[in-house]
Amino acid sequence: MPESSSPAPVPHQPSTGAPVIYKEKLWPNAWMWIIAAGVSGAGILVFAPISAAAGYTAAAVLFAIIAVLLILSTPSIVVTDDALTVGRATIERRFVGAVQQFRGEEATAERGTRLNGLAYLCIRGWIDPVVKVDITDPADRTPYWLASTRNPDQLTAALTRR
């Protein structure tokens, strides 16, 4: 049987053992949990004609499913001396170029009208600031990474520190 040609899984954290300079989890904010509760509450309306118990059970199950999906899909940003990991992507620090941070309307423009279709994105709608990290690897077609962050100043400082 031939070996699988599927790519090796990308580690969620750098495996180099280098000390972590910066780490952030992009957890959902309170509004996302309120929306999850509202959506799961629709289960009561759907199953109420059967019985109230079935409606409340459906709402609880829906909320549990949504909560698990929100938690499991929460990406991390990790900066070490050797690597930068954003979500599922990792790149060596030597290929990290200029770093810019954007807030408000500038951040909206970076996520929208100024966005390059080849850029790697790790953005969350509930986090306004974004950091743009230029990629200098000549073998990589990705011009830059755009990542949401709640602490753009700290992330920028960690990436520009050498």
Side-chain angles (χ1 to χ4, degrees):
M1 184 99 187
E3 290 185 28
S4 172
S5 63
S6 63
V10 177
H12 288 286
Q13 293 197 16
S15 59
T16 60
V20 174
I21 298 170
Y22 176 83
K23 184 173 184 174
E24 176 182 7
K25 288 282 274 185
L26 303 178
W27 294 107
N29 65 5
W31 283 108
M32 288 304 298
W33 294 107
I34 291 170
I35 291 169
V39 169
S40 63
I44 297 171
L45 298 174
V46 171
F47 289 95
I50 298 170
S51 76
Y56 289 115
T57 302
V61 169
L62 279 171
F63 185 78
I65 291 169
I66 293 170
V68 167
L69 291 175
L70 280 173
I71 291 169
L72 291 178
S73 67
T74 300
S76 295
I77 300 173
V78 180
V79 178
T80 66
D81 286 331
D82 302 330
L84 165 64
T85 301
V86 177
R88 293 179 280 166
T90 301
I91 192 165
E92 295 177 43
R93 286 282 301 276
R94 65 188 174 115
F95 296 122
V96 171
V99 180
Q100 299 172 297
Q101 54 180 290
F102 302 94
R103 298 174 194 260
E105 290 181 18
E106 289 292 312
T108 301
E110 287 298 320
R111 289 187 299 258
T113 56
R114 285 190 238 150
L115 183 65
N116 184 321
L118 296 175
Y120 171 74
L121 303 176
C122 184
I123 55 177
R124 295 297 182 256
W126 53 84
I127 302 174
D128 178 59
V130 294
V131 170
K132 181 178 181 179
V133 180
D134 290 336
I135 304 301
T136 61
D137 184 358
D140 192 348
R141 291 184 37 200
T142 307
Y144 61 87
W145 289 8
L146 190 66
S148 295
T149 177
R150 287 189 171 94
N151 307 302
D153 295 327
Q154 293 173 3
L155 178 56
T156 302
L159 288 171
T160 55
R161 174 185 141 186
R162 293 287 172 179

